[in-house]
């Protein structure tokens, strides 16, 4: 099996596993136990992870809330802000957000909030998949409680202009949340420079374990207050109660260390090179394949992402024949649903175009040999489907 579905999740880096191991059999204390060294050692590990993760995004340790992943972080950010209001307000988001943003937003719409879901550039425009910051500025009202626009898209890899959006929100004193699940660890992120107030991330997208993530919550300058969503022991200043997942937190911190080293090296270029190799080889075998989203050469597209159409071929049939290649036709969380991808639909693609699209996520452990093998396998599957045979 060749794994090219790194937007859905990543393999845990062996160095992360190694860092986590002692937290199962040596440092297994409850980080909330203050009466013995087992607990205090565990707390130190959590503190050092918070320092490490906050350094990576130019935040401070007290601005990191550990969660079970980005779904929880997005819910905490959106519900946490909106529930503090005495009367319903206005939320601005985009049409290409993950369901973990769209669904909590829809919940508040049912409760009387008004919602603007900004469109993105169409597939045939100069900026497919991108939110226009000027359009966002025009959508803001005196009632806008929150803007939630993702940093990197999980299907088409588009990076949004969060710097411009952050500036607009800051000028209007409106809170900005960004879902950075797909961007964290893959591009440098500076929450101060980007003027982000709340930012979600999840370890399993950057070679860490599943079931752990975080929410950056601004405390410097304009302090963000959230209603807690999980009440109990009062951990994490009461914002998110529950015994801290020390193994997961240690793993996430180690994973961030590794990303920070890789980002300074040639890893981003290597992944981009593998992605380009995959695309070129697919096109050589099957003819021109239209790319969904920004051009592959664009700096505003995640270098590890490819999403393209295989005209005349059904993506599900392709995946069935090329069953040694792990790819997907959309986000993992929604791929069980029969509905076509809302992200591709937001680009203005018709149903046929959506159904012939595949998403590839290249990762740290992929090799050129694997990429060539995967491309050849898909080309032969495509030819078989076209009835040409090899
Ligand atoms: C952009 C984005 N947001 C949120 C999530 C949900 O993350 P988690 O699996 O950590 O709940 C995902 C996962 O696919 C994602 O890609």
């Amino acid at each position: 099996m060749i794994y090219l579905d790194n937007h859905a999740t990543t393999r845990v880096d062996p160095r992360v596993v190694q860092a986590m191991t002692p937290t199962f059999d040596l440092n297994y204390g409850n980080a909330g136990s203050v009466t013995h060294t087992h607990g205090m050692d565990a707390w130190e590990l959590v503190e050092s992870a918070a320092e490490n993760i906050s350094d990576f995004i130019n935040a401070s340790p007290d601005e990191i809330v550990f969660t079970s992943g980005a779904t929880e972080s997005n819910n905490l950010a959106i519900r946490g802000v909106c529930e503090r209001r005495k009367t319903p307000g206005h939320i601005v988001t985009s049409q290409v957000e993950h369901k973990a943003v769209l669904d909590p937003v829809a919940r508040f719409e049912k409760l009387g909030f008004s919602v603007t879901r900004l469109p993105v550039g169409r597939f045939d425009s100069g900026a497919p998949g991108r939110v226009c910051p000027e359009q966002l500025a025009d959508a803001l009202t005196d009632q806008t409680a929150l803007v939630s626009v993702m940093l990197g898209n999980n299907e088409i890899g588009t990076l949004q202009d969060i710097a411009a959006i952050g500036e607009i929100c800051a000028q209007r004193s409106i809170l900005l949340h960004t879902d950075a699940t797909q961007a964290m660890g893959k591009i440098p992120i500076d929450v101060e420079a980007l003027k982000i107030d709340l930012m979600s991330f999840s370890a399993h997208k950057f070679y860490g374990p599943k079931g752990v993530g975080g929410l950056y919550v601004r405390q410097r300058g304009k302090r963000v207050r959230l209603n807690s969503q999980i009440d109990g022991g009062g951990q994490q200043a009461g914002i998110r109660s529950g015994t801290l997942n020390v193994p997961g937190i240690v793993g996430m911190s180690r994973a961030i260390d590794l990303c920070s080293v890789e980002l300074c090296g040639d890893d981003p270029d290597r992944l981009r090179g593998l992605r380009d190799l995959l695309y070129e080889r697919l096109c050589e075998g099957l003819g021109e394949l239209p790319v969904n989203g920004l051009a592959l050469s664009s700096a505003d597209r995640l270098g590890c992402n490819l999403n393209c159409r295989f005209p005349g071929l059904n993506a599900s049939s392709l995946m069935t024949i090329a069953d040694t290649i792990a790819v997907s036709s959309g986000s993992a969380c929604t791929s069980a649903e029969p509905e076509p991808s809302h992200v591709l639909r937001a680009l203005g693609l018709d149903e046929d175009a959506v159904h012939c699209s595949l998403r590839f996520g290249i990762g740290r452990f992929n090799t050129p040999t694997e990429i060539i093998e995967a491309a050849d396998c898909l080309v032969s599957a495509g030819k078989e489907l076209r009835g040409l045979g090899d």
Side-chain angles (χ1 to χ4, degrees):
M1 201 75 195
I2 298 175
Y3 189 76
L4 298 180
D5 200 13
N6 285 279
H7 293 298
T9 195
T10 54
R11 172 183 154 193
V12 181
D13 193 299
R15 292 164 291 182
V16 168
V17 176
Q18 202 180 6
M20 290 172 73
T21 305
T23 64
F24 294 108
D25 54 6
L26 289 174
N27 303 318
Y28 54 82
N30 184 328
S33 302
V34 291
T35 51
H36 49 71
T37 51
H38 277 76
M40 285 185 277
D41 289 350
W43 175 245
E44 263 175 36
L45 291 174
V46 170
E47 266 191 322
S48 121
E51 219 161 89
N52 203 27
I53 293 162
S54 58
D55 266 1
F56 184 75
I57 57 170
N58 191 23
S60 62
D62 62 325
E63 296 180 307
I64 305 296
V65 177
F66 293 110
T67 65
S68 62
T71 300
E72 183 188 335
S73 301
N74 287 342
N75 273 269
L76 176 58
I78 295 163
R79 293 181 183 211
V81 167
C82 294
E83 285 177 4
R84 284 191 79 81
R85 286 184 67 94
K86 291 192 178 67
T87 53
H90 173 228
I91 306 170
V92 175
T93 188
S94 85
Q95 292 178 1
V96 295
E97 300 299 309
H98 192 271
K99 293 272 185 191
V101 163
L102 293 175
D103 286 0
V105 166
R107 171 184 291 264
F108 285 97
E109 193 171 32
K110 283 198 194 112
L111 296 173
F113 278 68
S114 59
V115 175
T116 304
R117 295 176 183 83
L118 293 165
V120 292
R122 280 176 55 90
F123 71 96
D124 50 1
S125 72
R130 285 200 111 196
V131 167
C132 167
E134 291 75 30
Q135 206 173 353
L136 181 140
D138 290 345
L140 300 177
T141 73
D142 292 345
Q143 289 303 309
T144 309
L146 182 69
V147 169
S148 182
V149 174
M150 72 200 318
L151 187 42
N153 187 271
N154 47 305
E155 293 192 35
I156 54 174
T158 317
L159 295 169
Q160 299 296 347
D161 191 351
I162 295 296
I165 294 172
E167 190 59 50
I168 292 165
C169 291
Q171 276 174 15
R172 301 278 301 259
S173 293
I174 293 171
L175 293 178
L176 170 63
H177 165 247
T178 190
D179 177 354
T181 309
Q182 294 290 341
M184 183 82 163
K186 294 178 194 140
I187 57 166
I189 301 174
D190 180 331
V191 291
E192 277 296 304
L194 297 174
K195 301 195 161 87
I196 295 167
D197 297 304
L198 294 150
M199 186 174 85
S200 307
F201 50 92
S202 185
H204 75 101
K205 307 288 186 178
F206 51 86
Y207 313 98
K210 290 165 190 59
V212 64
L215 180 68
Y216 156 76
V217 184
R218 174 176 291 283
Q219 299 298 306
R220 292 167 293 174
K222 182 179 62 171
R223 185 164 174 219
V224 178
R225 292 179 174 281
L226 298 175
N227 262 21
S228 65
Q229 300 301 312
I230 300 181
D231 297 325
Q235 291 91 342
Q236 305 200 70
I239 293 180
R240 202 277 192 181
S241 286
T243 299
L244 286 158
N245 172 2
V246 180
I249 291 167
V250 167
M252 178 158 71
S253 172
R254 182 70 181 123
I256 276 296
D257 277 342
L258 298 173
C259 289
S260 126
V261 171
E262 303 275 3
L263 271 176
C264 299
D266 61 358
D267 200 52
D269 288 342
R270 195 184 72 84
L271 295 188
R272 191 169 282 113
L274 291 179
R275 190 266 320 266
D276 292 348
L277 172 65
L278 173 65
Y279 179 65
E280 279 154 24
R281 198 143 174 125
L282 287 171
C283 290
E284 265 167 35
L286 293 170
E288 197 56 27
L289 305 174
V291 169
N292 292 327
L294 292 166
L296 297 186
S297 56
S298 169
D300 296 319
R301 180 172 190 134
L302 286 170
C304 57
N305 171 272
L306 172 65
N307 190 318
C308 63
R309 307 198 283 282
F310 293 75
L313 298 172
N314 182 280
S316 305
S317 311
L318 261 178
M319 286 188 288
T320 307
I321 299 176
D323 64 357
T324 53
I325 316 299
V327 284
S328 84
S329 53
S331 123
C333 318
T334 49
S335 55
E337 290 175 21
E339 306 163 20
S341 149
H342 67 282
V343 174
L344 298 184
R345 291 311 295 265
L347 290 179
L349 293 175
D350 63 25
E351 229 168 282
D352 283 348
V354 172
H355 286 303
C356 72
S357 294
L358 278 182
R359 172 188 76 167
F360 302 86
I362 314 296
R364 181 181 293 168
F365 300 106
N366 289 129
T367 63
T369 314
E370 277 185 330
I371 296 295
I372 290 170
E373 207 179 302
D376 292 352
C377 178
L378 281 158
V379 166
S380 98
K383 286 182 176 168
E384 191 181 321
L385 275 178
R386 280 181 188 160
L388 297 175
D390 257 332

